[in-house]
Amino acid sequence: MSPTDVLVLDPKARDRVAEDRELRSRGPVARVDLLGLEAWAVSHPAYLKRLLTDNRVSKDPRRHYPDFEQTVQRWPLWLWIAVENMFTAYGADHRALRKLVGPAFNHRRTQVMRPVIQEITDRLLARMLAKEKAGAVVDLRADFAQQLPMDVIHHLMGMPVEWQKAMAEPVSKVFSTSLDMAAALKNGEDLAALLTDFIEYKRKHPGDDLTTDLIRARDGENRLSEKQLVDTLILVFSAGYETTVGLIVNTHRNLLTHPRQLEIVRRNPEVMGAAVHETLRRDASVAFLPLRYAVKAIDLPEAGVRIEKHQPIVAAYSAAGRHADVFDQPDVFDVLRPNASSHLAFGHGTHMCLGAPLAVAEAEIATTSFFTAFPDAVIAVDEDQLTPMESIISNSLRELPITRRGEKQTREAA
Ligand code: HEM
């Protein structure tokens, strides 16, 4: 297969590992179809780094994608390009929008969040232990991984707990690639309406939180339009939930299915951070990131590719994490891999993930605490019964049912 043969990405992501392998086999940069939209997918880490720092590549469709209006009308992933925030900004606009949110996620603020994350984790684990005691099956995704990032973001944004239920579904649907256009459109509109109401609520009930800071930047200093304010909240809530849920699920899954690696982490708790990064490398929770656009034509002769002006580009993060040119035996989960943290799962360059330190802190605290509370946990079903999230973008599992080693053996013997 050549780079110009189009690989149609599976909206249900039934076999991500095989699909990524196929993509890499077509070359460092190759054509894909993403729900009916063709783009260049970049799956080689060196090419990704180059293109993510090349100012001939933009994320602003309003300036650099002439098909923008039509695409927003027909493409189920329309919200990913229609939002007006740092995620879809270029150059000076990007710097200005990112500056408003950046300080909330710096190293010091993340350190301050650690006790909060620990407290939320302990509360969730206590609830899981009680649920287990009552005889119910514990689902590590629904009961733990999904709750923790949500509670953390709500704390950061100053969102009261009663809003949580309403937020969870529309945010998770942002990552779904199984919605038709009408459902995707309604979901984006519902989410914007919900956050517009929330902004009104926060205008009346300001606090020491990021939403209040952003409202001040809008109302007091006129540094944001009302749409940019709503869309920045869409970004922070979406980026903060599903991606981190995926990381927490994937890290637990990898440790539970690799007992020797788990043993290394148990004996050396300081290795847990490395286990989280190795999971990001091997199973990036954001698999594909739409979209970027060529500001000018870009020639990549060594790849046999020329990206024409305005053509869309997608970063293939999960495929890059298993590239054999960079990672020795890339399918192997090895918590002691020396270069695991050179993965690109948080992106690279100006748009690199703002929440990366926070996400890693959450996953580290979650896994360390989980394996203390459930030292003999095992996955309750066979691995081939674990079903992936139906999403080209989000790379994780729909459920991760957990039981105790002894109980699984008893059930299997019965
Ligand atoms: C495991 C968890 C996470 C993963 C894998 C992840 C991944 C990414 C990636 C790949 C990008 C770069 C997108 C691009 O290619 O342009 C990104 C951007 C971003 N992420 Fe994350 N993210 C995670 C968690 C978070 C959290 C917890 C937050 C905040 C609460 C967050 C906030 C952001 C923001 C604001 C951006 C946009 C930055 C910009 O455009 O300048 N992320 N993330």
Side-chain angles (χ1 to χ4, degrees):
M1 287 285 178
S2 91
T4 49
D5 291 320
V6 180
L7 175 65
V8 179
L9 301 178
D10 177 8
K12 294 190 188 297
R14 279 165 284 213
D15 193 346
R16 169 96 54 198
V17 172
E19 189 176 75
D20 281 348
R21 192 179 304 124
E22 174 61 33
L23 179 62
R24 285 188 302 268
S25 78
R26 293 173 182 218
V29 181
R31 295 297 275 169
V32 291
D33 175 300
L34 221 150
L35 301 187
L37 185 145
E38 284 191 20
W40 290 104
V42 188
S43 65
H44 192 294
Y47 282 79
L48 250 181
K49 278 189 173 172
R50 238 161 83 186
L51 289 170
L52 296 181
T53 48
D54 187 330
N55 60 14
R56 291 174 300 170
V57 176
S58 162
K59 285 190 85 179
D60 186 344
R62 289 173 179 83
R63 283 167 68 186
H64 300 119
Y65 189 39
D67 290 346
F68 174 61
E69 295 291 345
Q70 286 153 267
T71 308
V72 164
Q73 305 291 323
R74 67 161 185 89
W75 195 43
L77 293 174
W78 70 280
L79 193 64
W80 287 79
I81 65 170
V83 282
E84 237 185 284
N85 55 34
M86 73 186 99
F87 194 77
T88 51
Y90 175 69
D93 296 341
H94 173 255
R95 285 191 290 280
L97 288 165
R98 188 166 163 119
K99 225 163 97 184
L100 294 174
V101 177
F105 295 101
N106 65 23
H107 180 69
R108 192 183 57 80
R109 291 272 194 114
T110 305
Q111 288 306 106
V112 171
M113 282 300 289
R114 287 188 80 96
V116 177
I117 300 170
Q118 187 68 61
E119 200 186 304
I120 298 169
T121 302
D122 292 345
R123 180 168 42 78
L124 293 172
L125 286 171
R127 224 164 60 187
M128 280 160 74
L129 285 165
K131 187 172 174 182
E132 188 199 32
K133 223 174 176 179
V137 173
V138 172
D139 174 8
L140 199 140
R141 181 182 171 94
D143 296 324
F144 188 40
Q146 211 158 285
Q147 283 297 319
L148 175 57
M150 229 194 255
D151 285 2
V152 169
I153 287 294
H154 285 241
H155 178 92
L156 266 170
M157 304 305 283
M159 184 180 258
V161 71
E162 55 273 19
W163 293 73
Q164 280 204 7
K165 256 206 165 116
M167 287 292 295
E169 199 183 324
V171 169
S172 106
K173 281 185 178 168
V174 169
F175 289 80
S176 169
T177 44
S178 297
L179 301 182
D180 62 20
M181 185 60 209
L185 187 63
K186 181 169 181 328
N187 189 55
E189 287 171 355
D190 287 352
L191 188 55
L194 199 61
L195 288 168
T196 303
D197 286 352
F198 175 56
I199 289 165
E200 280 320 301
Y201 168 85
K202 290 302 288 185
R203 282 195 166 110
K204 292 184 194 127
H205 304 91
D208 180 16
D209 53 62
L210 180 56
T211 311
T212 304
D213 291 351
L214 288 169
I215 290 173
R216 279 199 194 113
R218 154 88 188 124
D219 295 351
E221 299 144 44
N222 216 9
R223 284 189 287 158
L224 275 178
S225 70
E226 191 69 19
K227 177 163 170 55
Q228 285 172 330
L229 173 60
V230 175
D231 288 2
T232 299
L233 292 198
I234 292 183
L235 171 63
V236 176
F237 279 100
S238 316
Y241 276 13
E242 186 59 31
T243 55
T244 313
V245 177
L247 174 60
I248 295 172
V249 168
N250 295 349
T251 308
H252 282 86
R253 179 205 188 156
N254 278 340
L255 289 169
L256 287 165
T257 51
H258 296 84
R260 273 195 223 130
Q261 300 294 313
L262 178 58
E263 200 44 44
I264 296 174
V265 177
R266 275 194 211 285
R267 293 209 183 131
N268 311 276
E270 72 282 0
V271 175
M272 190 56 96
V276 170
H277 279 289
E278 172 65 348
T279 297
L280 283 159
R281 178 204 65 81
R282 182 176 183 266
D283 303 292
S285 50
V286 174
F288 286 94
L289 202 289
L291 284 178
R292 288 175 155 79
Y293 322 89
V295 174
K296 297 178 181 160
I298 302 170
D299 272 315
L300 301 167
E302 332 80 87
V305 163
R306 176 180 162 91
I307 303 177
E308 298 295 346
K309 183 176 173 178
H310 296 151
Q311 278 187 325
I313 300 167
V314 58
Y317 290 122
S318 62
R322 293 197 190 208
H323 209 295
D325 280 0
V326 177
F327 301 106
D328 193 29
Q329 294 193 288
D331 292 331
V332 172
F333 177 66
D334 174 6
V335 297
L336 301 178
R337 182 183 292 278
N339 65 343
S341 61
S342 65
H343 65 76
L344 299 173
F346 289 122
H348 183 72
T350 51
H351 286 276
M352 187 171 169
C353 179
L354 265 180
L358 181 67
V360 170
E362 287 181 46
E364 239 182 273
I365 292 171
T367 30
T368 304
S369 308
F370 173 82
F371 285 108
T372 306
F374 290 82
D376 50 353
V378 287
I379 300 176
V381 296
D382 292 336
E383 246 201 299
D384 59 6
Q385 286 174 29
L386 296 172
T387 45
M389 291 298 289
E390 292 189 356
S391 173
I392 291 172
I393 299 168
S394 177
N395 177 24
S396 177
L397 298 171
R398 282 163 65 173
E399 297 163 348
L400 188 55
I402 295 297
T403 185
R404 304 276 183 174
R405 191 170 301 118
E407 279 170 35
K408 192 175 182 197
Q409 280 159 357
T410 314
R411 254 191 304 132
E412 280 169 358

